[in-house]
Amino acid sequence: MVTAIVGANWGDEGKGKITDMLGEESDIIVRFQGGSNAGHTIVNDYGKFALHILPSGVFYDHTTSIIGNGVALNIPDLFKEIQGIVDQGVPMPKIKVSDRAQIVMPYHILFDQYEEERLAGKSFGSTKSGIAPFYSDKYAKTGIQVSELFDEESLREKVVGICEKKNVLLEHLYHKPALQVDEVMETLREYRKMVEPYVCDVSAFLFEALKEGKRVLLEGQLGSLKDPDHGIYPMVTSSSTLAGYGAVGAGVPPYEIKRIVTVVKAYSSAVGAGEFVSEIFGEEADELRRRGGDGGEYGATTGRPRRMGWFDAVASRYGCRIQGATEVALTVLDVLGYLDELPVCVGYEIDGKVTKDFPTTSQLKKAKPVYEVLPGWKSDIRGITEYDKLPENCRKYIEFIEKELGVPVKMVSNGPGRHEIIHR
Ligand code: GDP
């Protein structure tokens, strides 16, 4: 059976913690999209970790961690991360990398930087990890698959073609130094050495594992609203963030994905530019940012302060629907204990009409939030382990959200730690 853990919002919902938790009862954990551009923060018995490319299951010795074909594979990052966790005392994880995964090249990262520079104020707020240039190359069929590292001759031929094209842009659009075929080949040889021990026909491995009844967890990065098709295009990421894409990006049959745990944040946060209807500003936002997450709402990869907002029921309901959520994990609820009242965005006013449906970006730009205000619970709910022990107003907030989402909230997270969770 396959379970997917995905985000309903703009990312940073706390998926890492939920994956880490559910990883305990899984055999295999797979990253199926994205790259080392986003981060999961995990707090466990070994310490606090920011993972960018490794699946969150690397902390268990009974699980196999997989980088699926859909991932933007940054090989040096992968190796730095493995080294980093081993250095902190975590046992060497079992890792497999799909032979069909494609490689993020140093020139992808450069192109990302150059393009952000060129766009200046109009940039997409990229993390400059090369993700957009990487996926552009993948679909332009000039990407490099891990499997191609093992045939030098045809690889060189490909690299010559890549350099030819890229150097035109480097010279004439960006006015930057040209790529050298020999240097690119040298990098690829180093990458081959680093990745070789882990290379695997992942879809075949998963096919056999599923036949044996193994439990597979698909770990999504970012959230529904950053999906290139269903999100706030163009302020989206470059690979699909949806559970449905898990079938493609891991190489498993779609019908095997039975459980879609959709992580919803009890308030809103976003990094980078893009539409964000329930965004708040000033001191109100600063306070939520300071108190949010585990030690404040700052990007795990970039350290950038996240944009903050109230819970957006319109966006979150849509986010759950487009994921095909079978259940919701509601996170960071403990953060809200300081508020006298909690505004919840229950509708968008667009051209004088109120809608509860999440629109396309052009309409979204005009949307103004319509709030319903719920009373706060004014207490610290950390340490509570049973739903009935939560303050009444806190339960009312959860039940209000559940009704708006139309999906059962089966888990409530009331702290960053692995065991700080209330099951319903
Ligand atoms: P992800 O990308 O979805 O995994 O989210 P991040 O890890 O970037 O952001 C979630 C942040 O919130 C991390 O710092 C977590 O340690 C923290 N976190 C997760 N769940 C909870 C929770 O229930 N309460 C609090 N206070 N922090 C949480």
Side-chain angles (χ1 to χ4, degrees):
M1 186 184 109
V2 181
T3 299
I5 300 183
V6 286
N9 306 120
W10 295 262
D12 310 314
E13 296 92 350
K15 296 175 295 296
K17 170 194 160 155
I18 305 294
T19 314
D20 189 39
M21 229 182 66
L22 296 185
E24 213 158 359
E25 54 209 53
S26 305
D27 303 298
I28 299 165
I29 306 180
V30 192
R31 281 278 314 263
F32 63 89
Q33 43 90 225
S36 47
N37 54 331
H40 285 313
T41 315
I42 293 164
V43 181
N44 59 29
D45 300 341
Y46 295 105
K48 184 174 173 177
F49 298 88
L51 296 184
H52 302 292
I53 180 113
L54 283 176
S56 311
V58 290
F59 300 104
Y60 297 104
D61 44 18
H62 69 277
T63 58
T64 301
S65 299
I66 292 187
I67 308 287
N69 56 276
V71 171
L73 174 66
N74 182 316
I75 293 178
D77 277 0
L78 176 71
F79 287 84
K80 254 184 269 161
E81 220 159 90
I82 295 173
Q83 200 52 48
I85 64 166
V86 171
D87 286 348
Q88 283 195 66
V90 181
M92 180 64 192
K94 292 190 275 297
I95 293 171
K96 292 187 187 299
V97 175
S98 168
D99 54 5
R100 291 178 181 275
Q102 294 200 11
I103 303 164
V104 177
M105 295 298 293
Y107 54 75
H108 289 134
I109 297 165
L110 289 175
F111 272 90
D112 210 349
Q113 287 164 4
Y114 297 161
E115 183 63 5
E116 287 279 304
E117 270 169 45
R118 192 180 71 88
L119 293 172
K122 289 192 174 138
S123 79
F124 290 85
S126 160
T127 57
K128 304 187 190 70
S129 327
I131 302 300
F134 164 88
Y135 281 108
S136 306
D137 277 2
K138 176 170 176 175
Y139 294 108
K141 297 174 279 284
T142 52
I144 299 172
Q145 243 184 24
V146 165
S147 63
E148 291 178 275
L149 292 175
F150 301 93
D151 181 349
E152 277 244 7
E153 209 174 303
S154 49
L155 187 59
R156 190 176 180 92
E157 210 172 294
K158 185 165 194 170
V159 168
V160 169
I162 290 170
C163 290
E164 207 170 0
K165 265 174 93 174
K166 302 243 175 260
N167 284 343
V168 176
L169 286 175
L170 286 169
E171 186 182 344
H172 298 286
L173 184 64
Y174 298 116
H175 313 293
K176 298 286 183 185
L179 298 176
Q180 307 296 333
V181 174
D182 287 339
E183 268 174 43
V184 176
M185 283 304 292
E186 194 42 46
T187 303
L188 287 167
R189 268 180 226 116
E190 277 169 35
Y191 287 0
R192 185 182 61 211
K193 273 187 244 151
M194 290 193 241
V195 82
E196 195 161 13
Y198 306 101
V199 178
C200 170
D201 179 348
V202 161
S203 72
F205 176 83
L206 291 174
F207 181 76
E208 290 304 321
L210 288 169
K211 261 206 307 210
E212 289 165 21
K214 292 269 176 11
R215 295 153 305 175
V216 176
L217 205 57
L218 302 180
E219 176 178 9
Q221 181 212 40
L222 294 167
S224 302
L225 307 173
K226 290 284 187 182
D227 183 75
D229 284 80
H230 294 282
I232 52 170
Y233 190 85
M235 297 303 181
V236 293
T237 192
S238 305
S239 65
S240 176
T241 56
L242 304 182
Y245 185 74
V248 178
V252 295
Y255 58 77
E256 291 280 1
I257 309 174
K258 302 270 195 298
R259 185 179 175 205
I260 302 175
V261 180
T262 305
V263 185
V264 174
K265 200 161 174 159
Y267 52 88
S268 300
S269 74
V271 267
E275 282 58 44
F276 184 1
V277 177
S278 66
E279 184 168 13
I280 54 173
F281 303 92
E283 180 46 38
E284 202 176 37
D286 289 344
E287 175 148 38
L288 184 55
R289 182 179 305 110
R290 241 187 347 262
R291 292 172 175 269
D294 180 25
E297 291 281 359
Y298 299 91
T301 300
T302 57
R304 286 185 290 188
R306 292 179 182 146
R307 297 162 66 197
M308 307 303 297
W310 302 126
F311 183 80
D312 185 339
V314 178
S316 301
R317 179 173 48 248
Y318 172 77
C320 286
R321 167 164 73 78
I322 217 74
Q323 288 290 7
T326 59
E327 65 189 89
V328 160
L330 187 67
T331 57
V332 294
L333 194 65
D334 52 302
V335 167
L336 301 177
Y338 72 98
L339 291 161
D340 294 318
E341 34 187 41
L342 295 94
V344 172
C345 175
V346 292
Y348 290 169
E349 192 193 311
I350 301 170
D351 296 333
K353 278 204 205 104
V354 175
T355 177
K356 286 177 94 61
D357 295 322
F358 192 78
T360 54
T361 310
S362 57
Q363 292 294 302
L364 198 56
K365 283 184 197 300
K366 299 189 273 182
K368 293 190 188 63
V370 176
Y371 287 114
E372 198 164 320
V373 178
L374 274 69
W377 48 91
K378 298 293 287 180
S379 63
D380 186 2
I381 60 164
R382 281 189 75 175
I384 296 176
T385 54
E386 286 164 57
Y387 187 71
D388 294 341
K389 301 263 162 67
L390 286 170
E392 187 185 358
N393 283 347
C394 182
R395 279 183 278 128
K396 280 192 175 149
Y397 185 72
I398 297 166
E399 285 154 28
F400 184 89
I401 286 177
E402 182 172 56
K403 199 157 158 247
E404 288 285 321
L405 298 179
V407 181
V409 174
K410 294 224 175 133
M411 284 178 258
V412 175
S413 173
N414 59 337
R418 188 186 274 177
H419 300 292
E420 292 182 285
I421 196 92
I422 299 168
H423 292 278
R424 280 176 86 209

